PDB file of all heavy atoms in Angstrom:
ATOM      1  N   PHE A 150      -2.012  -9.300  12.319  1.00 98.00           N
ATOM      2  CA  PHE A 150      -2.591  -8.468  11.274  1.00 98.00           C
ATOM      3  C   PHE A 150      -3.590  -9.331  10.500  1.00 98.00           C
ATOM      4  O   PHE A 150      -3.193 -10.247   9.777  1.00 98.00           O
ATOM      5  CB  PHE A 150      -1.447  -8.005  10.366  1.00 98.00           C
ATOM      6  CG  PHE A 150      -1.803  -7.025   9.280  1.00 98.00           C
ATOM      7  CD1 PHE A 150      -1.913  -5.663   9.544  1.00 98.00           C
ATOM      8  CD2 PHE A 150      -1.963  -7.468   7.965  1.00 98.00           C
ATOM      9  CE1 PHE A 150      -2.195  -4.755   8.532  1.00 98.00           C
ATOM     10  CE2 PHE A 150      -2.241  -6.571   6.943  1.00 98.00           C
ATOM     11  CZ  PHE A 150      -2.360  -5.215   7.234  1.00 98.00           C
ATOM     12  N   THR A 153      -6.098 -11.205   5.330  1.00 98.00           N
ATOM     13  CA  THR A 153      -6.426 -12.303   4.414  1.00 98.00           C
ATOM     14  C   THR A 153      -7.561 -13.172   4.949  1.00 98.00           C
ATOM     15  O   THR A 153      -7.645 -13.432   6.153  1.00 98.00           O
ATOM     16  CB  THR A 153      -5.165 -13.181   4.214  1.00 98.00           C
ATOM     17  OG1 THR A 153      -4.110 -12.356   3.738  1.00 98.00           O
ATOM     18  CG2 THR A 153      -5.424 -14.308   3.229  1.00 98.00           C
ATOM     19  N   SER A 159      -5.049 -12.083  -2.637  1.00 97.00           N
ATOM     20  CA  SER A 159      -4.582 -10.948  -3.446  1.00 97.00           C
ATOM     21  C   SER A 159      -5.673  -9.891  -3.558  1.00 97.00           C
ATOM     22  O   SER A 159      -5.403  -8.688  -3.515  1.00 97.00           O
ATOM     23  CB  SER A 159      -4.193 -11.420  -4.844  1.00 97.00           C
ATOM     24  OG  SER A 159      -3.174 -12.379  -4.763  1.00 97.00           O
ATOM     25  N   PHE A 183      -4.255 -17.670   7.496  1.00 98.00           N
ATOM     26  CA  PHE A 183      -2.780 -17.511   7.415  1.00 98.00           C
ATOM     27  C   PHE A 183      -2.275 -16.351   8.278  1.00 98.00           C
ATOM     28  O   PHE A 183      -1.438 -15.564   7.822  1.00 98.00           O
ATOM     29  CB  PHE A 183      -2.332 -17.243   5.970  1.00 98.00           C
ATOM     30  CG  PHE A 183      -2.596 -18.329   4.970  1.00 98.00           C
ATOM     31  CD1 PHE A 183      -3.169 -18.035   3.744  1.00 98.00           C
ATOM     32  CD2 PHE A 183      -2.259 -19.638   5.243  1.00 98.00           C
ATOM     33  CE1 PHE A 183      -3.396 -19.017   2.800  1.00 98.00           C
ATOM     34  CE2 PHE A 183      -2.489 -20.647   4.310  1.00 98.00           C
ATOM     35  CZ  PHE A 183      -3.055 -20.331   3.086  1.00 98.00           C
ATOM     36  N   THR A 392       1.853 -11.095  -3.473  1.00 98.00           N
ATOM     37  CA  THR A 392       2.697 -12.005  -4.253  1.00 98.00           C
ATOM     38  C   THR A 392       3.574 -11.206  -5.226  1.00 98.00           C
ATOM     39  O   THR A 392       3.363 -10.009  -5.451  1.00 98.00           O
ATOM     40  CB  THR A 392       1.819 -12.968  -5.088  1.00 98.00           C
ATOM     41  OG1 THR A 392       1.079 -12.183  -6.040  1.00 98.00           O
ATOM     42  CG2 THR A 392       0.844 -13.754  -4.220  1.00 98.00           C
TER      43      THR A 392
HETATM   44  C1  FAD B 514       3.040 -18.246   6.116  1.00 83.93           C
HETATM   45  C2  FAD B 514       2.070 -17.166   5.747  1.00 83.93           C
HETATM   46  C3  FAD B 514       1.891 -16.098   6.601  1.00 83.93           C
HETATM   47  C4  FAD B 514       0.941 -15.101   6.283  1.00 83.93           C
HETATM   48  N1  FAD B 514       0.712 -14.087   7.172  1.00 83.93           N
HETATM   49  C5  FAD B 514      -0.346 -13.259   6.957  1.00 83.93           C
HETATM   50  C6  FAD B 514      -0.735 -12.307   7.961  1.00 83.93           C
HETATM   51  O1  FAD B 514      -0.108 -12.181   9.022  1.00 83.93           O
HETATM   52  N2  FAD B 514      -1.828 -11.542   7.726  1.00 83.93           N
HETATM   53  C7  FAD B 514      -2.557 -11.636   6.578  1.00 83.93           C
HETATM   54  O2  FAD B 514      -3.555 -10.921   6.456  1.00 83.93           O
HETATM   55  N3  FAD B 514      -2.200 -12.507   5.602  1.00 83.93           N
HETATM   56  C8  FAD B 514      -1.123 -13.319   5.772  1.00 83.93           C
HETATM   57  N4  FAD B 514      -0.763 -14.234   4.810  1.00 83.93           N
HETATM   58  C9  FAD B 514      -1.563 -14.318   3.585  1.00 83.93           C
HETATM   59  C10 FAD B 514      -0.826 -13.846   2.331  1.00 83.93           C
HETATM   60  O3  FAD B 514      -0.676 -12.460   2.351  1.00 83.93           O
HETATM   61  C11 FAD B 514      -1.622 -14.366   1.122  1.00 83.93           C
HETATM   62  O4  FAD B 514      -1.409 -15.766   1.067  1.00 83.93           O
HETATM   63  C12 FAD B 514      -1.207 -13.691  -0.156  1.00 83.93           C
HETATM   64  O5  FAD B 514      -1.640 -12.351  -0.191  1.00 83.93           O
HETATM   65  C13 FAD B 514      -1.768 -14.400  -1.411  1.00 83.93           C
HETATM   66  O6  FAD B 514      -3.135 -14.664  -1.275  1.00 83.93           O
HETATM   67  P1  FAD B 514      -3.690 -16.146  -1.580  1.00 83.93           P
HETATM   68  O7  FAD B 514      -2.829 -17.101  -0.826  1.00 83.93           O
HETATM   69  O8  FAD B 514      -5.139 -16.146  -1.319  1.00 83.93           O
HETATM   70  O9  FAD B 514      -3.399 -16.376  -3.114  1.00 83.93           O
HETATM   71  P2  FAD B 514      -4.324 -15.851  -4.407  1.00 83.93           P
HETATM   72  O10 FAD B 514      -4.657 -14.442  -4.179  1.00 83.93           O
HETATM   73  O11 FAD B 514      -5.417 -16.865  -4.514  1.00 83.93           O
HETATM   74  O12 FAD B 514      -3.294 -16.018  -5.535  1.00 83.93           O
HETATM   75  C14 FAD B 514      -3.021 -17.273  -6.201  1.00 83.93           C
HETATM   76  C15 FAD B 514      -2.128 -16.981  -7.412  1.00 83.93           C
HETATM   77  O13 FAD B 514      -2.824 -16.105  -8.335  1.00 83.93           O
HETATM   78  C16 FAD B 514      -2.035 -14.963  -8.620  1.00 83.93           C
HETATM   79  N5  FAD B 514      -2.906 -13.808  -8.837  1.00 83.93           N
HETATM   80  C17 FAD B 514      -3.971 -13.392  -8.082  1.00 83.93           C
HETATM   81  N6  FAD B 514      -4.523 -12.288  -8.600  1.00 83.93           N
HETATM   82  C18 FAD B 514      -3.785 -11.971  -9.695  1.00 83.93           C
HETATM   83  C19 FAD B 514      -3.827 -10.929 -10.665  1.00 83.93           C
HETATM   84  N7  FAD B 514      -4.742  -9.948 -10.607  1.00 83.93           N
HETATM   85  N8  FAD B 514      -2.914 -10.934 -11.680  1.00 83.93           N
HETATM   86  C20 FAD B 514      -1.963 -11.902 -11.729  1.00 83.93           C
HETATM   87  N9  FAD B 514      -1.855 -12.925 -10.860  1.00 83.93           N
HETATM   88  C21 FAD B 514      -2.758 -12.942  -9.843  1.00 83.93           C
HETATM   89  C22 FAD B 514      -1.158 -14.786  -7.377  1.00 83.93           C
HETATM   90  O14 FAD B 514       0.012 -14.011  -7.662  1.00 83.93           O
HETATM   91  C23 FAD B 514      -0.839 -16.237  -7.043  1.00 83.93           C
HETATM   92  O15 FAD B 514       0.203 -16.695  -7.855  1.00 83.93           O
HETATM   93  C24 FAD B 514       0.212 -15.200   5.066  1.00 83.93           C
HETATM   94  C25 FAD B 514       0.446 -16.259   4.193  1.00 83.93           C
HETATM   95  C26 FAD B 514       1.346 -17.250   4.516  1.00 83.93           C
HETATM   96  C27 FAD B 514       1.530 -18.390   3.574  1.00 83.93           C
END
Side-chain angles (χ1 to χ4, degrees):
F150 185 82
T153 303
S159 301
F183 297 133
T392 64

